[in-house]
Every structure is written in structure tokens, then in C-alpha cells.
Amino acid sequence: MNIKQVAVVGGGTMGNGIAHVVAMAGFPVTLIDIKAEVLEKALATISKNLGRMVSKEKITQQQMDETLGRIKTSDSLEKGALNADLVIEAVNENFELKKKIFQTLDKVTPADTILASNTSSISITKLAAVTGRADKVIGMHFFNPVPVMKLVEIIRGLDTSDEVYNVIEKLSKDLGKVPVPVNDFPGFVSNRVLMPMINEAIFCVHEGVATAEHVDEVMKLGMAHPMGPLRLADFIGLDVCLDILNVLYEGFRDPKYRPCPLLVKMVDAGKLGDKTGQGFYNHQK
Ligand code: NAD
């Protein structure tokens, strides 16, 4: 199994970062999204981030141009993923949506193409089961912002083969990341630990224990967190946090994961954090 061509499905927050690091590492990559404006914005973001690296003299202008030259975009899953040896899916955290994408990918890509998901919490085993190649389905959980964050949680589904695991572990290192193996359980390790903390911070605001700013100050100054949990929740996206908490709640059937009503209310109101300009903080300024 040799990875020569990569496709990334979903050009949002995570997808554009994944395409960026894959292209930087020398692989041709097709970034696929159903929305043309997302693809335009993704290319502009990648360009801006690479430009920043050039001005900091971390890469040369030539490396930037070559990296951009390796990125193609497509609004068609069928065409964009056709020749990929590896597809990394990064669409919204919704099982039914991911299921459709995996079923299509299973039909249109060559039989030995590896299908990876950047899901934060959905079962890799369950996604693998909708394909006819469960041994070639794996989780590659990157962190935001992808070009900066070193960790990739690599999640083995029940039937993921050792060969596929080894290819993805090596590829993650080639991307300049540090892979950590994790077994397939709701929320894996990162979100099983992080989301209950964020949820509890939201409960503190909901119950009037402290303001969002004060909760964050406690965690930054007292626990040496670089970012408070509520600022982090805004950064991740409150809708993404709610989706992950629901997966934990349903996956374990344990009330300790129940999403705080304030989180639900904020998502219902469209206050999703940085991406909408308002969450626990106002990001419009
Ligand atoms: P996002 O909302 O920014 O982007 C999702 C993109 O998927 C959108 O651009 C949307 O147009 C596209 N999309 C939807 N349906 C599609 C389809 N049928 N074909 C092609 N594209 C389609 O979401 P995100 O924050 O980038 O999250 C993506 C995935 O990464 C989720 O599974 C999420 O849980 C996971 N994740 C997110 C973070 C984070 O901090 N945001 C971190 C790690 C993992």
C-alpha cells in the first residue's frame, strides 16, 4: 500500500487544514466540498496560512507555490475521489451524512483505497460496517488548527488491518505529526476527557457559579491551561461540542455526559462561537 494521491472530503475548518499539511508534505490532494464558496474560502485560508509561514521564513516562496500547485478542488465526490489511494473525510459530525459519504466512496474508489475519517467521536467500526472494506477504514483525528497542532489520534476500528494502521501511522509522521494509537470507543481519548470538562464549565455559567470570563480565568491561571474551556468551546464550534456530547451520551448511556441546557439553547440560537461571531464571547470585534 503506497499513498501517492490523497482526497479530502469537506473543506471547512478541518478539511482545509488537512489539505494544507498533506500538500506541504508533497502529496497531490483534491479538496472536495459541495459548496463552491467553501472551496474558495479554503484555498484563500491555505494561501494566507502559507503566506504567514513565508513571512516568518519557515518556508520559501517556492515551497508555498509548489504546495498550492499540489491542491486541486472539486464539488463532486465521485470525480474528486476517483484516483485517491487515501480519502480523509472531514464533513460535519453527523453519522447519516458520513454514512452516505462512506457508501459512495466505497463504490467509486479503487478496492484498496484507504478510507479515513477525521470524526471527533463517531464509531469507526460503525462507519466501516457501511462499506465492503472494513479492514481499510480507520480514524485519523487531527486537531485544530491542523497546520499547528502535532497530535493525530489514530483510531482502529474492530476490523482495521495492521497493514492499514502502519501505513497511516507512517503517513502521519510524514505529515510532521505525532500519531497516538487509540481504540474505538465514543469520543476516543481526547474528547472523552475534554468534552465533559467543557460541559461542566458551561454548567458553571448556566448555574450562575461564575461568568464565562471568570471560569476561563480560573482554568488558565489555576490549571495552566493555555486557553479556558469556554474560549476553546467557541473555537471548536458549539455545534461540534454538542454533537460530540450527544455521541458520548448515547454511546455510554451515562447521564454524566448529558449536554448542558445552555449549550443546547446557544446552538438553537445559532450562537456557535468563532464561526458565527458570537458564542460565550463576542468575536465580531
Ligand atoms: P465544518 O462545518 O467547518 O466543515 C464541514 C464541511 O463539510 C462544510 O464545508 C460542508 O459544506 C462540507 N460538507 C457537508 N456535506 C458534504 C458532502 N456531502 N460532500 C462534501 N462536503 C460536504 O466542520 P469541521 O469543524 O471542519 O469538522 C469536520 C469534522 O472534523 C467533523 O467530523 C468534526 O467532528 C471533526 N473535527 C473537528 C474539529 C474542530 O475543532 N472543529 C477538531 C477535530 C475534528
Side-chain angles (χ1 to χ4, degrees):
M1 273 179 187
N2 197 3
I3 308 289
K4 291 192 286 288
Q5 174 79 41
V6 179
V8 176
V9 189
T13 311
M14 297 304 289
N16 83 66
I18 297 169
H20 171 140
V21 295
V22 168
M24 270 282 287
F27 299 93
V29 54
T30 305
L31 183 60
I32 304 163
D33 204 291
I34 39 172
K35 294 184 185 157
E37 68 272 20
V38 169
L39 291 172
E40 263 170 48
K41 194 175 160 207
L43 286 181
T45 303
I46 296 170
S47 236
K48 191 179 83 190
N49 291 339
L50 287 169
R52 201 176 294 141
M53 291 172 83
V54 172
S55 58
K56 288 185 182 164
E57 295 184 356
K58 287 188 177 163
I59 59 169
T60 61
Q61 182 65 45
Q62 189 186 345
Q63 281 172 307
M64 170 169 166
D65 295 343
E66 284 170 1
T67 300
L68 288 174
R70 283 191 282 269
I71 304 174
K72 280 194 203 143
T73 59
S74 172
D75 60 4
S76 157
L77 185 59
E78 287 80 359
K79 288 184 197 148
L82 200 58
N83 298 316
D85 307 299
L86 165 68
V87 182
I88 307 175
E89 168 277 314
V91 302
N92 311 61
E93 189 74 346
N94 174 304
F95 176 71
E96 289 304 320
L97 174 62
K98 287 187 195 284
K99 178 178 160 183
K100 268 195 211 136
I101 304 256
F102 272 73
Q103 284 172 331
T104 306
L105 289 172
D106 194 35
K107 275 196 210 116
V108 301
T109 59
D112 57 353
T113 296
I114 298 176
L115 305 181
S117 176
N118 181 53
T119 176
S120 307
S121 59
I122 291 171
S123 165
I124 297 301
T125 306
K126 206 167 149 188
L127 281 176
V130 308
T131 74
R133 58 176 96 182
D135 57 321
K136 296 185 188 70
V137 176
I138 193 161
M140 271 185 104
H141 186 203
F142 291 86
F143 289 77
N144 186 20
V146 181
V148 177
M149 300 294 276
K150 285 280 175 202
L151 176 64
V152 184
E153 266 184 319
I154 302 187
I155 300 106
R156 300 181 75 126
L158 194 61
D159 293 315
T160 308
S161 72
D162 290 343
E163 189 189 4
V164 165
Y165 178 84
N166 291 336
V167 168
I168 294 302
E169 185 186 59
K170 181 182 176 304
L171 176 85
S172 303
K173 289 179 184 164
D174 291 343
L175 301 182
K177 303 296 178 198
V178 179
V180 175
V182 172
N183 283 322
D184 190 18
F185 276 89
F188 316 131
V189 171
S190 51
N191 283 313
R192 186 169 173 175
V193 175
L194 175 65
M195 285 301 155
M197 184 189 69
I198 286 179
N199 200 37
E200 207 55 41
I202 300 172
F203 267 111
C204 285
V205 177
H206 179 61
E207 291 169 8
V209 180
T211 63
E213 288 81 358
H214 287 155
V215 170
D216 279 354
E217 216 173 338
V218 167
M219 298 306 287
K220 281 194 290 180
L221 301 181
M223 314 321 155
H225 287 200
M227 208 186 240
L230 297 166
R231 180 65 194 87
L232 181 58
D234 273 6
F235 184 62
I236 294 171
L238 299 189
D239 52 341
V240 177
C241 293
L242 180 59
D243 286 339
I244 299 170
L245 277 161
N246 279 328
V247 169
L248 288 168
Y249 185 54
E250 282 151 27
F252 291 113
R253 310 259 161 121
D254 185 332
K256 76 177 173 186
Y257 299 110
R258 76 199 187 287
C260 176
L262 176 60
L263 175 63
V264 177
K265 212 193 275 183
M266 288 180 73
V267 172
D268 284 346
K271 296 180 180 186
L272 308 183
D274 296 33
K275 61 182 152 188
T276 58
Q278 181 68 52
F280 288 100
Y281 294 86
N282 182 351
H283 304 283
Q284 269 148 358
K285 287 172 247 166

